[in-house]
Amino acid sequence: MFRQTALLALALALLPFSSAQVSSDFESGWDQSAWPTYAPDCSQGGKVSLDSSTAHSGKNSIRVDGAGGYCGHIFFGTTKVPSSGDLYVRAYIKASRALTDSHVTFITMPDPAQGSKKHLRIGGQSKILMYNRESDDATLPDLSPQGIATSQALPTGSWQCFEYKIGADGSIATWLNGNAVTGLTVGAGTSNPNAAQWTRSSIKPRPSAVYFGWESYGGDANTLWYDDVAIGSSRVGCS
């Protein structure tokens, strides 16, 4: 009976990764062919490395030293995303510095739906988590006092489970440590009065890749770690 219980527990523990199209805990190192770096246009000062000093699980994580200014950006990630249907992403993130009033990005996704070389970006501004559509610079939520209040800050110095869904219907849902972030939710069947900027366009995002890292449009620099990344067509959850 003990053996059966142990096997069942192991199977349940493995379930979150079973639905992922691609995932990694980086315990075998950083496979740069599977998770290449990405730095559109220019890269001066940013760095990606395997780090064994901190991890969400095991001993390894990927460290991103992001420099200030746009050309200080650097990312790593994958083009192995669902070609149709919904896109779900889960990553454990540890940030060394808090988000400020300046606009920054820590996840960027090439989005052909917006046009050539345009991205759907997740990052921060006004000290809170937000989405940014590069083609028209729209934000989700609106950066009004009311919109800012519907999002959250990204805690620093500890691992945070960050999840999001980009729906095939253009919807967006976001979770931090398993809890929905109302300001970062939009689409049919949801009510977000602070999404006026976002909904002014009929664009339905269709990311062709997902990259994790740092991009600053001012002087903000930061160091972030990423671990236990999972990308697929169904929600993995925090486990």
Side-chain angles (χ1 to χ4, degrees):
M1 177 66 72
F2 175 80
R3 182 173 181 272
Q4 290 178 328
T5 303
L7 288 172
L8 177 60
L10 177 61
L12 290 173
L14 292 175
L15 273 176
F17 277 105
S18 66
S19 63
Q21 181 159 318
V22 59
S23 62
S24 184
D25 57 10
F26 308 108
E27 290 309 290
S28 298
W30 173 25
D31 182 348
Q32 296 186 43
S33 62
W35 299 90
T37 57
Y38 179 72
D41 302 323
C42 58
S43 181
Q44 300 170 359
K47 179 183 177 182
V48 179
S49 58
L50 183 71
D51 194 340
S52 298
S53 68
T54 184
H56 171 255
S57 66
K59 68 181 190 305
N60 289 339
S61 63
I62 298 294
R63 172 174 171 156
V64 176
D65 293 282
Y70 175 74
C71 282
H73 66 188
I74 191 70
F75 295 87
F76 74 97
T78 179
T79 58
K80 293 182 179 179
V81 299
S83 58
S84 61
D86 300 334
L87 165 66
Y88 285 83
V89 177
R90 193 280 309 277
Y92 282 86
I93 302 173
K94 180 179 176 182
S96 61
R97 297 182 183 179
L99 300 172
T100 70
D101 287 325
S102 298
H103 182 197
V104 298
T105 293
F106 58 80
I107 297 176
T108 193
M109 295 166 279
D111 183 14
Q114 296 184 53
S116 176
K117 297 183 179 181
K118 299 300 182 182
H119 296 76
L120 174 62
R121 306 183 285 206
I122 302 174
Q125 194 169 348
S126 301
K127 300 183 177 68
I128 51 100
L129 295 163
M130 64 93 176
Y131 287 77
N132 175 261
R133 189 169 54 217
E134 185 177 4
S135 58
D136 62 355
D137 206 32
T139 65
L140 179 70
D142 299 334
L143 296 180
S144 63
Q146 295 79 13
I148 290 168
T150 63
S151 185
Q152 298 181 35
L154 179 66
T156 61
S158 60
W159 289 97
Q160 309 297 317
C161 179
F162 185 78
E163 303 174 86
Y164 63 93
K165 169 195 173 184
I166 307 297
D169 59 357
S171 62
I172 291 176
T174 314
W175 302 266
L176 184 63
N177 297 317
N179 300 310
V181 183
T182 57
L184 305 183
T185 302
V186 69
T190 65
S191 176
N192 185 350
N194 299 292
Q197 274 199 47
W198 202 259
T199 56
R200 72 189 180 194
S201 171
S202 60
I203 291 173
K204 295 181 180 179
R206 185 69 259 169
S208 59
V210 178
Y211 295 104
F212 308 90
W214 182 255
E215 186 167 272
S216 171
Y217 312 101
D220 286 17
N222 212 332
T223 300
L224 298 97
W225 291 264
Y226 297 86
D227 199 4
D228 295 324
V229 174
I231 300 169
S233 56
S234 59
R235 188 179 175 190
V236 172
C238 302
S239 61

